[in-house]
Amino acid sequence: MARSCFIDMGNSRIKLWLCDNEKIIASYAVAHQYSPNILMSGLPKEFYGYVDFVGVSSVLNDKVNQELESLCLLLWRCTPQFARTDYATLGIQCAYKDPALLGIDRWLNILAVAVRQPVCVVSCGTALTIDVVNDNQHLGGYIFPGMNLQLSSLLHGTQRVRPHDITYATLDFGKNTSESVHHGILLACIAAIEKVYAALKQMTDKNVQLILTGGDSERLSPHLQIAHDMMPELLLMGLQRYFGHSS
């Protein structure tokens, strides 16, 4: 039985899936603080065994990636394979003239949902990214500051905007500074998603699928006026598909 490990090295967290063939048998996630060696202090015992393939998605720099490679060799005696954005993968054409400039996290999300095209995939994390795919063509997308980055920019860029609590409960008009800030951030994200979705629907004149993933998707989901699916581990699904470990 083939045993594989898939690793998502994101901006703030590292996530792992341990699989027998396509079946997930263990998972783990932890804040990495820019060092994959954090895994040595808390990795579940299920991961300390034979692994014959390691597939990696990383948005971090070469130094961190080299540390991760060394860790994989130490744990499993297996050199990891890093996913890369290309002109075309699994029949999907990349919109970027230089595919290397498209983040691998966005590319893997696209590959994970491409079977449902026309599709709009939204990753709600440190950044809010939106990508659209139709007729096996990635049409491009958008990158916005995520909800916490929007809040941080207001705090750092102003002297008197000081919201006193963290809540994104409604889209109502804010009746104090705190509500105005948090409701405004929520509105900006919702409006962006619905605008892009409407544009793709008008362009294709088809039933467009909307997929949300990422840590802030649960904050945004209740306020969307569009039917959608939430797929929290979308990137790891795309990573499996990229390396041919998923049907």
Side-chain angles (χ1 to χ4, degrees):
M1 181 177 292
R3 178 160 290 192
S4 53
C5 184
F6 296 96
I7 302 175
D8 167 20
M9 195 75 177
N11 287 301
S12 59
R13 292 169 66 80
I14 182 170
K15 299 180 181 180
L16 299 89
W17 275 359
L18 183 66
C19 302
D20 277 341
N21 294 323
E22 295 183 17
K23 183 181 179 181
I24 303 164
I25 60 173
S27 62
Y28 183 64
V30 66
H32 56 59
Q33 299 177 327
Y34 299 101
S35 175
N37 292 322
I38 191 73
L39 293 175
M40 297 301 293
S41 63
L43 194 64
K45 65 180 188 310
E46 291 87 350
F47 286 87
Y48 287 92
Y50 176 73
V51 169
D52 57 10
F53 178 82
V54 180
V56 177
S57 164
S58 175
V59 298
L60 301 183
N61 60 37
D62 290 342
K63 178 179 180 295
V64 175
N65 293 339
Q66 288 168 5
E67 288 181 11
L68 181 58
E69 181 172 339
S70 297
L71 182 63
C72 292
L73 288 168
L74 176 64
L75 286 172
W76 303 302
R77 298 182 181 179
C78 186
T79 301
Q81 303 297 309
F82 286 80
R84 309 291 183 193
T85 309
D86 207 342
Y87 291 99
T89 304
L90 302 176
I92 307 300
Q93 306 292 317
C94 181
Y96 277 31
K97 292 182 178 179
D98 182 356
L101 299 179
L102 176 69
I104 188 59
D105 51 346
R106 290 172 63 194
W107 189 232
L108 294 174
N109 284 337
I110 290 165
L111 296 180
V113 301
V115 294
R116 301 177 63 171
Q117 58 187 293
V119 62
C120 177
V121 56
V122 183
S123 179
C124 315
T126 304
L128 180 78
T129 66
I130 308 176
D131 285 282
V132 293
V133 184
N134 185 50
D135 289 336
N136 292 329
Q137 175 67 57
H138 171 227
L139 302 178
Y142 300 90
I143 303 174
F144 305 88
M147 299 179 79
N148 290 336
L149 277 181
Q150 290 187 50
L151 178 60
S152 178
S153 69
L154 279 172
L155 293 176
H156 286 88
T158 63
Q159 291 187 346
R160 302 191 67 177
V161 177
R162 292 294 179 267
H164 60 267
D165 58 2
I166 303 297
T167 176
Y168 300 89
T170 77
L171 294 175
D172 295 342
F173 299 127
K175 294 182 172 61
N176 56 54
T177 297
S178 185
E179 287 184 359
S180 298
V181 167
H182 295 305
H183 296 189
I185 290 171
L186 179 60
L187 177 62
C189 295
I190 294 297
I193 295 169
E194 293 186 344
K195 176 70 173 178
V196 175
Y197 177 90
L200 182 59
K201 188 173 179 63
Q202 183 177 24
M203 179 189 304
T204 62
D205 196 28
K206 297 177 182 177
N207 181 32
V208 174
Q209 300 287 310
L210 176 62
I211 311 294
L212 266 60
T213 190
D216 282 337
S217 57
E218 291 186 0
R219 290 179 175 179
L220 297 176
S221 175
H223 306 281
L224 285 165
Q225 300 300 306
I226 303 165
H228 58 280
D229 290 329
M230 294 175 62
M231 304 177 70
E233 302 299 347
L234 193 63
L235 190 150
L236 285 164
M237 293 169 58
L239 191 61
Q240 274 189 313
R241 186 164 292 169
Y242 176 96
F243 284 112
H245 287 244
S246 171
S247 57

